[in-house]
Amino acid sequence: MANLKIQRPKGTQDVVPSQMYKWNTVESIVKEAATNYGFREIRIPTFEETSLFVRSVGDTTDVVQKEMYSVTATGDSQFTLRPEGTAGTIRALIENGLLNEGFPQKVFYVLSCFRHEKPQAGRLREFHQFGCEMVGTKDPRADAEVIALAKSIIDSAGLKGIKLYINSIGCPECRAKYHAALKEYFRSKEDELCDTCKDRLERNPMRILDCKSPICSEIAKDAPIVLDYLCDECREHFEGLQKYLTAMGIEYEINSRIVRGLDYYTKTVFEFVTTDIGAQGTVCGGGRYDGLIETLSGKECPALGFGMGLERLILTMENQGIEFAKEDSCDVYFAPMGEAAAIKAMQLTEQLRADGVSAQCDVVGRGLKAQMKYADKIGTKFTVVIGDSELESGKANIKDMNSGEQVEAPLDEGFSKVFNALLISRMLADDDIDESIFDLNQ
Ligand code: ATP
Ligand code: MG
């Protein structure tokens, strides 16, 4: 049979065990921050009915027009792998009656998204997002709080030099006037626009401001600015947001070019951008979407949120030389010699695991030298060799792999007690505790 070399699909990534600590670091940072801000975790399906995304993300957006992975299952329903988390989350909040349980509803998620894009650094076909949604408030304090959560994650990750850009794209009323002005401006340059933007001109001219082609970006530089078209309510809301951000010590820059790629946004839009990972520098993007819930449920209900690309977050941390939390290695490794010793070692390993110790035992049947080499490779803190003489005396030495010190322990129920005491003393010795913090008289 031919040797079939199957590779992972283009634009996807494997995270091998030796790299998982980076993901675990970032996931615990986002979960802890979200919890501190009062958001509760939600899980939603990986695929939804295609119409959910068409209606919410918008049928003139890149995501819906060319980036969705859709399948027709047996029968006639059309499904799509989620290209983002907001639509499914809002669908779930509506479907599970959470919008009747008092406001604000604050939820977060960590999930994979799928977009058929041209893969490059920081742009994948399957990527991961941390996202949060806050539902049931139109107060600019909510916008400030959501932005503060994103900022707190960026700070906890230790990132430097990430810029926060904010803008307001107004409500449908301001938007109508702004669209008219944009159309007039871009019509005068229509011949120079890329084909996609020519199409956008009539259907959704604001999308042109988001175009990544250099020529369109250049033309967009002199386009009318949305902030000049805001109605009183939208302007006051935007001023309110700035007032709270300033009070909370969050630096921002107003950037009228930020319009976001999805159709459901209203009023506040924002992005956190880094210059450390090349062209795909938007680490986090979000905003308010006051019309989305009405579109999906018929019930008016303001809401807002953001999505943060975890690959981009990790890439920025790597490029800034930030250290990720290392994971604990093995506490103890048993190296038995012979069948009887193997039985004893398996019993002790299981006993320690039941006590919450990370314990391993040879399961390959290798000689002692190879076992010790393996113990070294997995970075175990202690090793225990069990051979005939240990079985006979009923005792074995627990060897500290760091200092070489050995402590004798009985090969029965008493083993755990000795081992746990050793582990604790080792942990205390490792910890550089400044004793003076306990001195209350200071
Ligand atoms: P971009 O302008 O970079 O295409 P977007 O506006 O399409 O981003 P959103 O839909 O707002 O992005 O998604 C929120 C975040 O998810 C982005 O800021 C980014 O960090 C991340 N993200 C979006 N698309 C990708 C992708 N294809 N690969 C990796 N991360 C992505
Ligand atoms: Mg995109």
Side-chain angles (χ1 to χ4, degrees):
M1 202 173 82
N3 188 3
L4 261 186
K5 201 167 160 223
I6 300 176
Q7 294 183 317
R8 63 171 180 266
K10 228 165 127 185
T12 64
Q13 271 184 339
D14 300 312
V15 183
V16 294
S18 64
Q19 294 298 304
M20 266 315 290
Y21 71 101
K22 296 179 182 172
W23 283 85
N24 289 334
T25 303
V26 160
E27 283 175 35
S28 54
I29 288 174
V30 298
K31 287 186 180 177
E32 194 182 319
T35 309
N36 286 349
Y37 279 76
F39 287 75
R40 297 184 303 158
E41 189 163 9
I42 188 167
R43 297 220 174 151
I44 53 167
T46 308
F47 60 94
E48 299 273 357
E49 279 188 32
T50 301
S51 58
L52 174 69
F53 301 115
V54 176
R55 278 167 63 188
S56 53
V57 175
D59 56 3
T60 60
T61 58
D62 282 357
V63 169
V64 168
Q65 282 191 340
K66 44 186 193 196
E67 295 173 4
M68 296 209 301
Y69 283 96
S70 299
V71 288
T72 307
T74 323
D76 50 10
S77 308
Q78 259 249 283
F79 295 106
T80 294
L81 293 177
R82 60 183 172 221
E84 52 93 66
T86 301
T89 300
I90 294 301
R91 193 246 341 114
L93 294 181
I94 296 168
E95 193 167 336
N96 292 281
L98 277 111
L99 302 191
N100 308 320
E101 289 188 6
F103 291 136
Q105 282 292 325
K106 308 202 297 192
V107 295
F108 79 89
Y109 47 80
V110 176
L111 45 72
S112 50
C113 301
F114 306 85
R115 296 186 193 179
H116 190 261
E117 302 198 72
K118 195 168 151 240
Q120 42 199 299
R123 190 174 293 287
L124 292 141
R125 290 183 172 174
E126 181 183 14
F127 63 98
H128 297 79
Q129 266 190 5
F130 162 77
C132 72
E133 317 294 345
M134 169 139 48
V135 170
T137 164
K138 54 183 186 177
D139 196 297
R141 271 176 273 188
D143 305 53
E145 181 168 290
V146 161
I147 291 174
L149 168 57
K151 172 83 167 80
S152 119
I153 291 169
I154 285 163
D155 288 346
S156 303
L159 295 175
K160 301 270 178 282
I162 312 274
K163 281 212 154 156
L164 164 62
Y165 296 111
I166 61 168
N167 192 22
S168 173
I169 54 171
C171 59
E173 203 183 299
C174 337
R175 197 90 52 82
K177 291 184 204 140
Y178 181 54
H179 274 182
L182 272 183
K183 276 185 193 166
E184 196 182 313
Y185 172 80
F186 284 120
R187 259 191 215 122
S188 65
K189 324 256 175 198
E190 190 170 351
D191 294 345
E192 298 164 61
L193 294 175
C194 74
D195 287 344
T196 322
C197 283
K198 282 192 181 107
D199 185 47
R200 285 167 171 153
L201 183 52
E202 288 312 315
R203 298 171 53 165
N204 195 345
M206 219 164 69
R207 287 276 78 75
I208 303 175
L209 301 177
D210 207 31
C211 181
K212 299 200 167 66
S213 111
I215 297 171
C216 298
S217 312
E218 197 53 40
I219 297 173
K221 274 188 184 148
D222 296 322
I225 287 170
V226 61
L227 293 175
D228 293 337
Y229 294 81
L230 294 188
C231 66
D232 287 348
E233 191 199 318
C234 290
R235 180 170 305 111
E236 271 166 37
H237 187 273
F238 193 47
E239 282 164 4
L241 166 64
Q242 293 173 62
K243 181 177 75 190
Y244 289 115
L245 288 178
T246 305
M248 292 159 97
I250 298 171
E251 281 178 36
Y252 63 87
E253 202 173 290
I254 297 174
N255 183 339
S256 56
R257 298 283 307 283
I258 305 270
V259 291
R260 311 290 309 122
L262 316 178
D263 263 359
Y264 48 58
Y265 288 107
T266 52
K267 290 192 173 126
T268 310
V269 285
F270 63 91
E271 286 185 3
F272 283 87
V273 181
T274 172
T275 50
D276 288 320
I277 56 171
Q280 323 305 327
T282 307
V283 174
C284 170
R288 188 168 267 287
Y289 47 88
D290 289 345
L292 177 62
I293 295 177
E294 194 176 2
T295 310
L296 295 179
S297 72
K299 225 162 115 181
E300 210 178 302
C301 184
L304 69 160
F306 67 75
M308 187 179 269
L310 296 185
E311 281 82 1
R312 291 187 195 178
L313 192 67
I314 291 174
L315 207 57
T316 317
M317 289 171 77
E318 286 172 341
N319 289 359
Q320 293 195 3
I322 290 168
E323 289 211 11
F324 295 81
K326 277 270 180 239
E327 248 136 53
D328 261 0
S329 63
C330 176
D331 291 323
V332 57
Y333 180 79
F334 286 91
M337 287 180 296
E339 175 76 25
I343 288 173
K344 177 52 81 185
M346 289 296 271
Q347 278 174 344
L348 290 173
T349 309
E350 231 11 52
Q351 185 184 317
L352 285 172
R353 287 171 178 159
D355 277 355
V357 171
S358 158
Q360 290 195 54
C361 177
D362 173 59
V363 286
V364 182
R366 280 189 280 227
L368 186 60
K369 212 168 142 198
Q371 289 195 52
M372 295 317 279
K373 212 168 142 188
Y374 179 75
D376 204 42
K377 190 171 140 196
I378 61 172
T380 184
K381 295 190 183 95
F382 297 93
T383 49
V384 180
V385 176
I386 305 177
D388 288 343
S389 62
E390 282 81 7
L391 285 178
E392 213 163 286
S393 66
K395 289 177 191 140
N397 282 326
I398 305 173
K399 182 177 173 188
D400 185 325
M401 295 301 277
N402 221 5
S403 63
E405 275 173 67
Q406 309 214 31
V407 170
E408 201 179 61
L411 291 177
D412 54 23
E413 295 75 33
F415 188 92
S416 288
K417 210 167 147 191
V418 178
F419 184 78
N420 279 315
L422 254 181
L423 198 59
I424 290 169
S425 69
R426 165 82 181 268
M427 273 172 2
L428 290 176
D430 275 356
D431 256 347
D432 232 346
I433 299 175
D434 176 3
E435 301 282 340
S436 69
I437 61 168
F438 299 116
D439 188 351
L440 299 178
N441 296 324
Q442 266 204 351

